[in-house]
Amino acid sequence: RRLAGQDPSNAGWQRDLAAAHSRVGDVLRAQGKLAEAQAAYGECLAISRRLAGQDPSNAGWQRDLAVTLGDIARIRAAKGEVDAALQLQQERLAVNEKLEDMDGIAAASWDIAQLELRRRDFKAAFPPLARSYSILQQIGRLDGLCTVGMLFGQFLCAAGKREEGIKVLTRSRDGFLKLGRSQDAKQTQALLDGLSQ
């Protein structure tokens, strides 16, 4: 903090300070101290916004900004501030889209879908959910594909696309087994059993 304060123009020191605030936020969040964690992430966000604004072409600084937006969004969601969390996730998605970070786009889309579900807006939840699943398929992220697919498959079945939904759920079950996540595989199998009754 002292070094960053001595020379605010030194981007390296500023980024180190932001990283320190982020680590503090991680610890506080793990301890369940959400207000304190949000304050720490807020310090990180202020620095990340400033750095990202100074050099929009710096992918590292833009990525830091996207990560911090996601951290604060999760805190706001945990505190029940769903609308505020959704706004932050949408900003995070926009940064990831600018970076063409497919992993980041998939993750932000998944988080947006979950927030829309908390608002019980199923229609708004479907497009980001479908987008996340499609991207995870393209980039071959099996862990994410299984998790997102578990929900996406149910959505497809509810929308009358039963055969497609069952395929997605089956892929999730098989993927969970491959990853050694037997409890998740059992849960997905229970969904499939329910559909066959």
Side-chain angles (χ1 to χ4, degrees):
R1 190 189 287 270
R2 188 171 64 248
L3 290 172
Q6 283 173 5
D7 185 2
S9 66
N10 187 310
W13 292 348
Q14 294 295 322
R15 196 174 186 195
D16 288 347
L17 179 59
H21 282 302
S22 181
R23 283 193 292 274
V24 169
D26 291 344
V27 171
L28 291 168
R29 182 171 59 181
Q31 294 173 347
K33 298 176 180 175
L34 299 184
E36 295 93 330
Q38 186 176 333
Y41 287 132
E43 294 283 349
C44 179
L45 181 60
I47 297 168
S48 294
R49 278 195 197 283
R50 189 166 59 248
L51 289 173
Q54 281 173 10
D55 185 359
S57 66
N58 187 310
W61 295 349
Q62 297 296 327
R63 197 164 284 111
D64 290 348
L65 175 59
V67 168
T68 308
L69 287 164
D71 287 335
I72 296 176
R74 281 185 282 278
I75 294 280
R76 300 293 291 267
K79 290 167 67 180
E81 300 169 7
V82 177
D83 289 346
L86 188 57
Q87 191 174 349
L88 289 163
Q89 289 290 3
Q90 286 166 340
E91 187 180 349
R92 171 192 175 201
L93 177 61
V95 174
N96 282 320
E97 285 173 336
K98 193 162 52 175
L99 289 168
E100 298 181 358
D101 176 359
M102 302 310 285
D103 207 12
I105 293 169
S109 297
W110 166 238
D111 286 338
I112 287 168
Q114 291 180 92
L115 288 167
E116 293 291 10
L117 285 174
R118 283 184 64 176
R119 297 167 77 198
R120 305 198 65 75
D121 192 338
F122 301 105
K123 190 176 179 182
F126 187 78
L129 183 62
R131 185 182 191 192
S132 181
Y133 189 80
S134 175
I135 291 170
L136 290 165
Q137 261 188 315
Q138 288 171 34
I139 63 178
R141 277 287 308 275
L142 183 61
D143 54 343
L145 193 67
C146 294
T147 301
V148 175
M150 203 170 157
L151 183 58
F152 186 49
Q154 293 176 75
F155 255 79
L156 288 168
C157 290
K161 299 179 179 179
R162 194 168 179 276
E163 191 176 326
E164 192 181 341
I166 287 172
K167 279 183 185 174
V168 168
L169 286 167
T170 302
R171 197 176 298 134
S172 285
R173 180 203 61 198
D174 296 346
F176 282 137
L177 287 170
K178 191 173 181 180
L179 293 167
R181 291 168 58 179
S182 57
Q183 197 57 42
D184 290 322
K186 281 181 190 172
Q187 196 177 344
T188 312
Q189 183 61 55
L191 291 170
L192 286 163
D193 292 343
L195 288 166
S196 65
Q197 289 173 1

